[in-house]
Amino acid sequence: MTGPTLPGPPLFDPAPAPLADERLALLALRFTTQLGPRRIEELRRHFGSALAALQAPPRALREVPGLDSRSVAALTGTQTQGQARTRAQAELTRTQVEGVTLLFRGLPGYPAALNALGDPPAVLWVRGSLPELPEVPRAIGMVGTRAASPHAAAFTRMLAADLARAGVVVVSGLARGIDTAAHEAAVGAGGLSIGVLGSAVDVIYPGENRALAAQLTLISESPLGTRPAQHLFPVRNRLIAALSAGTVVVEGERRSGSLITATHALECGRTVFAVPGRAGDPRAAGPHQLLRDGAVLTENAADVLNELGWGAAPPAPQPDLPPEQAQVLAALHEPRTLDDLQAITRLPLPELQTALVLLHLLGLTQEVGGRWVRR
């Protein structure tokens, strides 16, 4: 003997408000095969909402510009839509458990800066507190090679810290090398830093950056649990470019992710900044090419702030040091040779060298490639 047949689960769980229905509908579209950001937005605009798009009959769907027969089939197929909606509900529940925020294009809270893209993500996963990011945000992307030279890493730390002290949000990709140096220096200076990931916000890559990631706001357009994959990194680079008013390329070969980010920045109407390096160093080839193409030559935070009309950088906080050491440290707002420092400080060479050694022992400076820099 069998009992009565139970009805199948509803397409959407009961929601307290239409906005909740719309969010779940957008998430279901995100999980529908054959649909990317452009098609999802076209559906939302055509029908007035994602929920209406999911309820539209095949005839109405065929009238949507850019929607092919495979997309219509994915939207109307019982199995594909059942899977997409089940996955959407599960993802929404999981984000709530994990403390992850979902932001949806066209709904409150979505960063206006991403409108600079031709294909803004339909859904963003965010861990942490996201600052306001208007059409032109007070934020700078900093990118470069994972195999950064010591000089480039030191310069990145100095630039990121100075920008953070000027109230600029530092955006990067949490990769090894330049990205890590930028994030560390920004939060070390008391600023905000955003890590845009080529994985989910709950999958930190590389693993050694887990402690650093906990100090950042993390953004991804990938669902929870997504592992890092080669094809996801170029995609995330466009987010770094759009979330920033300008992108600084510190080091990178001619064909590198850094130059992909710079290309995206130009496509978004953003400013590209490039840091000159050593002639003949392959890691300097990318920035040098950008400089030939008209990028803004960048030697310090003032170059960035002046270009964007953001005012002057506040002076770096000075530790309580003897006069000679304080004078030398103040002169290191950019990398300097020993001759440079002697000309600026007018200290006798023995006193200058002693001050540099003591500053180095205090962990405030280091010598990189024949130049002294602040750490």
Side-chain angles (χ1 to χ4, degrees), residues 138 140 142 155-168 170 248 273 275 296-316 332-335 374:
R138 191 177 174 88
I140 289 293
M142 293 187 66
F155 176 85
T156 299
R157 286 191 288 270
M158 180 182 71
L159 181 62
D162 287 345
L163 289 173
R165 280 189 286 267
V168 176
V170 173
V248 180
F273 301 85
V275 179
V296 179
L297 189 148
T298 306
E299 295 180 306
N300 49 51
D303 291 331
V304 176
L305 298 171
N306 291 338
E307 179 69 23
L308 296 172
W310 288 348
L332 290 174
H333 57 83
E334 62 183 70
R374 285 191 326 215

Side-chain angles (χ1 to χ4, degrees), residues 277-372:
R278 282 189 312 180
D281 186 342
R283 293 169 295 192
H288 287 175
Q289 184 59 53
L290 292 173
L291 289 169
R292 292 187 193 96
D293 293 340
V296 179
L297 189 148
T298 306
E299 295 180 306
N300 49 51
D303 291 331
V304 176
L305 298 171
N306 291 338
E307 179 69 23
L308 296 172
W310 288 348
Q318 297 293 325
D320 188 13
L321 296 170
E324 294 82 2
Q325 294 177 41
Q327 187 180 2
V328 173
L329 188 62
L332 290 174
H333 57 83
E334 62 183 70
R336 303 284 193 188
T337 65
L338 193 62
D339 289 341
D340 292 336
L341 289 171
Q342 192 169 19
I344 293 169
T345 64
R346 299 187 180 278
L347 290 172
L349 185 58
E351 292 183 21
L352 174 59
Q353 291 174 320
T354 299
L356 285 169
V357 169
L358 292 173
L359 289 169
H360 179 69
L361 291 174
L362 289 170
L364 298 174
T365 64
Q366 65 179 3
E367 187 179 13
V368 180
R371 294 188 178 190
W372 286 88

Side-chain angles (χ1 to χ4, degrees), residues 57-333:
R59 176 180 53 79
L61 289 170
R62 293 190 192 100
E63 297 175 358
V64 179
L67 210 63
D68 58 20
S69 59
R70 290 185 300 175
S71 302
V72 172
L75 280 164
T76 56
T78 303
Q79 182 176 1
T80 55
Q81 270 311 292
Q83 291 172 345
R85 300 179 193 201
T86 298
R87 190 177 176 189
Q89 180 64 72
E91 186 73 12
L92 184 61
T93 301
R94 186 175 175 186
T95 57
Q96 292 169 345
V97 172
E98 296 281 345
V100 172
T101 301
L102 291 174
L103 300 179
F104 301 87
R105 189 179 181 193
L107 297 183
Y110 192 87
L114 291 180
N115 292 333
L117 291 171
D119 59 344
V123 184
L124 281 178
W125 282 255
V126 181
R127 170 161 273 165
S129 179
L130 188 67
E132 184 179 358
L133 296 166
E135 293 283 351
V136 181
R138 191 177 174 88
I140 289 293
M142 293 187 66
V143 296
T145 179
R146 289 171 171 82
S149 67
H151 170 73
F155 176 85
T156 299
R157 286 191 288 270
M158 180 182 71
L159 181 62
D162 287 345
L163 289 173
R165 280 189 286 267
V168 176
V169 177
V170 173
V171 184
S172 198
L174 199 63
R176 296 183 179 98
I178 296 301
D179 292 18
T180 295
H183 288 309
E184 288 178 340
V187 297
L192 298 176
S193 190
I194 296 173
V196 186
L197 307 187
S199 61
V201 296
D202 63 334
V203 180
I204 304 304
Y205 177 81
E208 66 261 26
N209 276 349
R210 288 192 184 95
L212 174 60
Q215 303 176 69
L216 311 177
T217 294
L218 303 180
I219 292 181
S220 175
E221 57 182 303
S222 297
L224 295 180
T226 302
R227 307 296 302 175
Q230 193 64 38
H231 71 279
L232 294 177
F233 291 101
V235 173
R236 71 95 191 264
N237 289 345
R238 82 193 202 289
L239 299 187
I240 295 175
L243 291 170
S244 311
T247 295
V248 180
V249 180
V250 182
E251 273 190 335
E253 298 184 356
R254 285 181 183 271
R255 295 184 178 181
S256 66
S258 302
L259 266 67
I260 292 174
T261 308
T263 300
H264 285 305
L266 291 172
E267 291 171 349
C268 290
R270 309 306 200 197
T271 304
V272 174
F273 301 85
V275 179
R278 282 189 312 180
D281 186 342
R283 293 169 295 192
H288 287 175
Q289 184 59 53
L290 292 173
L291 289 169
R292 292 187 193 96
D293 293 340
V296 179
L297 189 148
T298 306
E299 295 180 306
N300 49 51
D303 291 331
V304 176
L305 298 171
N306 291 338
E307 179 69 23
L308 296 172
W310 288 348
Q318 297 293 325
D320 188 13
L321 296 170
E324 294 82 2
Q325 294 177 41
Q327 187 180 2
V328 173
L329 188 62
L332 290 174
H333 57 83

